Amino acid sequence: MSSTIKVAIATPLDPGLRHLLTEVDPSVDLLVDDALLPPQRFPGDHEGDPAFRRTRKQQAVFDSLLSEADIFYGIPDTRPSALAPAVRSNPGLRWVQTMAAGGGAQVKAADLTAEELERVLFTTSAGVHGGTLAEFAILGVLAGAKDLPRLQSQQAARHWSDRWAMKQVHEQTVLVVGLGGIGKETARLAKALGATVLGTKRHPGPVDHVDEVHPLSALPDLVGRADAIVFTLPGTTATDGLYGADLIAATKPGAVIVNVGRGTVIDEPSLIDGLQSGHLASAFLDVVAVEPLPTESPLWALPQVVIAPHTAALSPHEDRRIAELFATNLRRLIDGKELLNVVDTQHFY
């Protein structure tokens, strides 16, 4: 890498936040042309206005800008299909920062060669969304315990029923499947409510606020003990369809399901069967297998399901937090230190 570190802004970033990158070191040079980037519609909108189109000349200028960079701030246009040609046209590229916490899936979808994956370092925004997603997860745990779907149904029908005893989270067991940044924060909040917290990790070891930590292979036993199950896992080959018919059958009757990881982790036909049969009490989903959720999906019509359109991670402060994370990693790069959130290019998370 030359004495000047050229960082291409490949996805929209508020000009008011760019100083966070340039102030890291005098050697940092931003390569950016706002006319070549789609305008943001809201904070955290890394794709930008879908109506935006570059002219052929503008695309050539954008491609040229990318070819000069040492580092990409964002996957170009957030599209894996744009990442591969950008990597191949720039032999000097050394690092790409993805905007998504699960950016490894985008890297995998780019179908880069082994040499390219070896040459270029990829990092994610893991940790930036932990607090916001954990709050949605706890919303699901609480709403499930307090029979929110039943309350909504009765209110819509203007029906004042007999009283019933609601469940108490402090008397429940919450299982957090995946103890990364989101999972750890979810565990902290669940523990603060008094729940017994179980969790899974690839390499089990003590985790703050978690009473028991187990490997993922222990799920068949764990799901039978949990009153609420929160999935925070990334989408990988190993997690695709993980929560399917067999695990659902082993799940404690009346359990609440929450997913703030990737929609592909849950086998949706099996989930629907479990909900329709009454074996599962309710589901609170920020993510689904196919997004947008097809209008014909039975999930839309199930009264015990709450669907958020993959929006629980968003915060007015997301862009700043990602820029600050990138700045921290840029400083580490300059100092010769290992970067945070490096993508494992074997498992792509």
Side-chain angles (χ1 to χ4, degrees), residues 173-174 196 198 212 214 220-228 250-252:
T173 296
V174 175
T196 297
L198 312 178
E212 298 177 24
H214 298 270
D221 171 62
L222 297 176
V223 296
R225 299 170 56 192
D227 300 287
T251 297
K252 184 176 182 178

Side-chain angles (χ1 to χ4, degrees), residues 1-2 4-8 27-31 68-72 93:
M1 192 175 291
S2 66
T4 298
I5 302 174
K6 297 181 179 181
V7 179
S27 64
V28 177
D29 179 20
L30 292 190
L31 306 181
E68 300 173 18
D70 301 301
I71 301 166
F72 290 172
L93 182 66

Side-chain angles (χ1 to χ4, degrees), residues 262-306:
R262 283 295 176 265
T264 52
V265 172
I266 294 178
D267 179 68
E268 283 178 8
S270 299
L271 175 67
I272 291 165
D273 288 345
L275 290 163
Q276 289 178 328
S277 71
H279 182 67
L280 301 176
S282 54
F284 298 82
L285 310 173
D286 181 53
V287 290
V288 289
V290 176
E291 298 180 359
L293 181 64
T295 55
E296 64 272 18
S297 171
L299 287 171
W300 286 115
L302 291 176
Q304 65 272 54
V305 174
V306 173

Side-chain angles (χ1 to χ4, degrees), residues 32-348:
V32 58
D33 184 340
D34 287 305
L36 305 178
L37 296 171
Q40 286 187 300
R41 297 160 293 174
F42 47 82
D45 179 23
H46 308 299
E47 291 81 9
D49 186 348
F52 173 81
R53 296 290 184 277
R54 296 187 190 93
T55 65
R56 184 175 298 181
K57 181 178 179 180
Q58 285 177 319
Q59 187 63 49
V61 174
F62 186 59
D63 292 342
S64 176
L65 180 148
L66 295 177
S67 70
E68 300 173 18
D70 301 301
I71 301 166
F72 290 172
Y73 183 85
I75 290 176
D77 298 327
T78 68
R79 291 187 294 109
S81 60
L83 179 59
V87 170
R88 288 164 190 162
S89 66
N90 184 345
L93 182 66
R94 292 294 175 261
W95 169 30
V96 176
Q97 168 70 42
T98 74
M99 299 295 101
Q106 294 174 304
V107 177
K108 181 180 180 181
D111 199 25
L112 297 167
T113 67
E115 184 277 328
E116 289 162 347
L117 292 172
E118 178 69 22
R119 172 169 64 89
V120 181
L121 201 64
F122 298 92
T123 58
T124 75
S125 296
V128 167
H129 313 91
T132 51
L133 287 172
E135 285 196 9
F136 183 87
I138 294 302
L139 165 72
V141 172
L142 281 166
K146 304 308 175 186
D147 296 309
L148 177 62
R150 179 175 176 178
L151 293 173
Q152 291 176 313
S153 175
Q154 291 188 181
Q155 182 173 343
R158 298 173 182 258
H159 173 59
W160 186 278
S161 71
D162 290 335
R163 300 168 69 194
W164 74 90
M166 291 182 173
K167 298 171 184 175
Q168 310 300 311
V169 174
H170 71 268
E171 298 174 346
Q172 292 191 322
T173 296
V174 175
L175 169 60
V176 182
V177 185
L179 289 170
I182 301 165
K184 288 176 182 176
E185 181 62 10
T186 299
R188 185 185 73 82
L189 294 177
K191 197 64 185 174
L193 291 171
T196 297
V197 181
L198 312 178
T200 68
K201 282 184 66 178
R202 282 188 67 209
H203 305 293
V207 175
D208 289 344
H209 315 294
V210 182
D211 295 285
E212 298 177 24
V213 180
H214 298 270
L216 202 59
S217 59
L219 273 182
D221 171 62
L222 297 176
V223 296
R225 299 170 56 192
D227 300 287
I229 305 172
V230 178
F231 291 93
T232 72
L233 294 172
T236 68
T237 303
T239 64
D240 188 26
L242 174 70
Y243 190 62
D246 290 345
L247 279 179
I248 289 173
T251 297
K252 184 176 182 178
V256 174
I257 306 301
V258 183
N259 194 359
V260 292
R262 283 295 176 265
T264 52
V265 172
I266 294 178
D267 179 68
E268 283 178 8
S270 299
L271 175 67
I272 291 165
D273 288 345
L275 290 163
Q276 289 178 328
S277 71
H279 182 67
L280 301 176
S282 54
F284 298 82
L285 310 173
D286 181 53
V287 290
V288 289
V290 176
E291 298 180 359
L293 181 64
T295 55
E296 64 272 18
S297 171
L299 287 171
W300 286 115
L302 291 176
Q304 65 272 54
V305 174
V306 173
I307 297 168
H310 205 147
T311 194
L314 292 186
S315 158
H317 309 294
E318 176 175 330
D319 293 324
R320 175 180 56 79
R321 289 169 180 163
I322 294 177
E324 288 173 343
L325 172 63
F326 178 83
T328 296
N329 259 345
L330 186 55
R331 182 73 262 167
R332 294 175 73 90
L333 181 77
I334 293 169
D335 293 343
K337 297 179 180 179
E338 185 176 348
L339 302 194
L340 308 173
N341 297 345
V342 175
V343 173
D344 177 336
T345 54
Q346 286 191 322
H347 301 96
F348 292 97

